[in-house]
Amino acid sequence: VALTTPLRTPEAVTLAHAVVAEVAAAREIRVLFIKGPSAAWWGLREPRVSADVDVLVEPARLTELVDALADVGWHERQMPAVPRIVPLHSATLINASWSCDLDVHSCFPGIFAAATEAFDRMWESRAQMPIAGVTVPVPSRAMSACILALHDLRHPTSTRAVRELPRLVERVRDVLGADAVDEIAQAARLLRARTPLAPFLADIGVDVVEPDLSDVEERLWDQMVAERTSPSIAWLHALRRAPWHRRPAVLWAALTFVNPTDQDHGDPYTYRRLRYRVARLGRGVRGVGRVARQVRT
Amino acid sequence: VSATTTWSRAPRVAHVDSGDRVVVLPLDGLGPDTTPVALDGVAQIVWDVLDRSRTGAEIVAALGEINPDHGLTEADLAGFLDDLRAAGILVTS
């Protein structure tokens, strides 16, 4: 009888929910599991294999939760410094023995209510999802739908978003029905996410008559979407913010940046990597003109 | 296997059934060295029949009903149950 064996990804994702819930509960840290299995549990999409576990933590206790998870073997993935339009409020944790990541967020892009208020709203309407023989807290169906839609709307050109957002619309409108639509409209209002969610809300039959964001916030959302579509825009913002003497270094970092999660280019000494860097340089130079217009506007 | 000892799943374990095996993780005393345990074959059947508390005799009987050719001696079964108890996956009363 074998007692130990490598974990498969679906097993790791399922059990990791229990691990995070256990660690958080032991320290009375409030967490909510988002996307992944909870989306299928709510009937917002078909079950599918996730590669990671996404968890929202009450904002003031992000570091505490990350430290607590380190105590049970989950450590932050080291990433190179990348400029961002909005500072990163999350951590990705990995464990060599587990074939999934833990993404711990203290806020979610597209939700413009103050992070603590947004979390409290989601916590008030939470449900308990059974998984791995335990139950874990998840946002309400409506809040979960808003988060899924925001995720897709922030990556509008990704293959996944192009495929899944229409399916989410279809499920909400045609399967879940009018009550669900009303709940989602209410959730979007509470989270101050109606403007980012406007295309989704329109598709499920909710009119966003008055925008709920200031011009600055609306522009910020546009930039967050652009950042995902064209990462060069974040580097340009970093370039503009840097003092003159630092700009050559920032420019060099921008043109030669290689995402360490891109497995095809992981070996620093291969010819393939050299070709990738040259191609990256070319893309960076060509992207400057295109995204500079977005920055100016 | 002691016929009178009652065996149960520990109250605080996480588990996931992949069809060909069950993977179980004890949550009590969770630490960096806590290891998930995979149970397949006869081990999976033992886990399944312990969806309620059973005495050793009842486990042996249930195993015989589900898979008469399981090939597990009572000594093997006793050792296996003890291993799972030591791993924090089963408890006795």
Side-chain angles (χ1 to χ4, degrees):
Chain A
V1 177
L3 288 182
T4 60
T5 187
L7 278 176
R8 301 166 187 161
T9 299
E11 294 167 342
V13 167
T14 302
L15 293 176
H17 277 73
V19 169
V20 177
E22 170 67 20
V23 167
R27 289 156 183 80
E28 298 184 336
I29 300 172
R30 294 177 298 160
V31 294
L32 294 163
F33 292 86
I34 57 172
K35 303 192 293 178
S38 71
W41 184 68
W42 278 124
L44 297 169
R45 74 177 182 210
E46 292 293 322
R48 69 154 195 243
V49 176
S50 300
D52 50 23
V53 174
D54 285 284
V55 60
L56 268 177
V57 56
E58 51 183 313
R61 305 187 73 182
L62 171 67
T63 305
E64 195 179 339
L65 180 63
V66 168
D67 290 346
L69 287 166
D71 290 344
V72 296
W74 290 84
H75 300 282
E76 276 195 79
R77 184 196 293 280
Q78 295 304 311
M79 299 287 282
V82 181
R84 293 178 184 278
I85 304 294
V86 177
L88 196 61
H89 293 291
S90 65
T92 296
L93 309 182
I94 54 174
N95 181 324
S97 305
W98 292 60
S99 53
C100 69
D101 292 356
L102 298 182
D103 289 331
V104 185
H105 312 259
S106 62
C107 61
F108 198 82
I111 293 176
F112 282 85
T116 302
E117 184 189 336
F119 186 89
D120 287 346
R121 295 289 190 188
M122 285 190 263
W123 183 256
E124 286 163 7
S125 60
R126 72 190 180 281
Q128 291 291 328
M129 175 180 73
I131 187 169
V134 301
T135 61
V136 302
V138 296
S140 68
R141 180 177 65 180
M143 297 283 190
S144 297
C146 289
I147 287 170
L148 281 184
L150 282 172
H151 187 62
D152 286 340
L153 288 166
R154 192 174 169 220
H155 307 77
T157 58
S158 77
T159 308
R160 193 212 62 245
V162 167
R163 182 182 65 240
E164 293 198 352
L165 190 56
R167 290 183 185 171
L168 178 62
V169 168
E170 192 180 301
R171 279 179 172 260
V172 169
R173 195 182 51 201
D174 302 339
V175 179
L176 302 179
D179 286 350
V181 170
D182 290 344
E183 289 165 12
I184 289 169
Q186 170 81 347
R189 187 182 65 77
L190 290 173
L191 298 176
R192 282 193 70 226
R194 281 186 298 174
T195 301
L197 283 170
F200 168 68
L201 294 174
D203 285 347
I204 62 172
V206 177
D207 288 331
V208 178
V209 181
E210 290 182 11
D212 56 350
L213 300 186
S214 67
D215 289 347
V216 171
E217 289 170 327
E218 203 166 330
R219 198 156 54 243
L220 183 62
W221 169 250
D222 291 342
Q223 288 171 351
M224 287 159 73
V225 174
E227 178 187 34
R228 303 306 294 190
T229 310
S230 173
S232 305
I233 198 167
W235 285 105
L236 274 177
H237 276 277
L239 204 56
R240 290 180 62 190
R241 285 196 301 262
W244 278 103
H245 74 277
R246 283 279 306 141
R247 290 188 180 185
V250 173
L251 183 62
W252 178 248
L255 295 177
T256 58
F257 171 73
V258 175
N259 189 335
T261 61
D262 186 344
Q263 298 299 318
D264 287 341
H265 312 290
D267 181 349
Y269 301 109
T270 62
Y271 172 66
R272 184 171 56 179
R273 175 160 175 132
L274 180 63
R275 282 201 318 181
Y276 174 76
R277 280 178 174 261
V278 170
R280 174 71 185 78
L281 200 68
R283 283 204 302 276
V285 170
R286 285 193 298 276
V288 164
R290 177 163 44 85
V291 297
R293 285 191 295 277
Q294 297 177 51
V295 173
R296 278 198 299 273
T297 56
Chain B
V1 181
S2 165
T4 54
T5 302
T6 299
W7 293 84
S8 316
R9 295 177 183 177
R12 289 172 26 77
V13 292
H15 52 94
V16 53
D17 190 336
S18 297
D20 62 335
R21 68 181 190 175
V22 173
V23 182
V24 187
L25 180 74
L27 296 175
D28 267 333
L30 193 64
D33 299 324
T34 306
T35 310
V37 174
L39 306 173
D40 59 8
V42 179
Q44 185 175 3
I45 298 173
V46 171
W47 171 261
D48 287 344
V49 302
L50 285 174
D51 59 348
R52 65 175 178 84
S53 299
R54 292 182 190 261
T55 63
E58 288 171 334
I59 295 171
V60 171
L63 267 179
E65 282 175 23
I66 295 168
N67 183 358
D69 303 320
H70 60 71
L72 206 62
T73 66
E74 288 211 17
D76 289 339
L77 179 61
F80 172 65
L81 292 172
D82 284 340
D83 284 346
L84 292 190
R85 179 170 55 187
I89 289 170
L90 298 183
V91 292
T92 53
S93 57

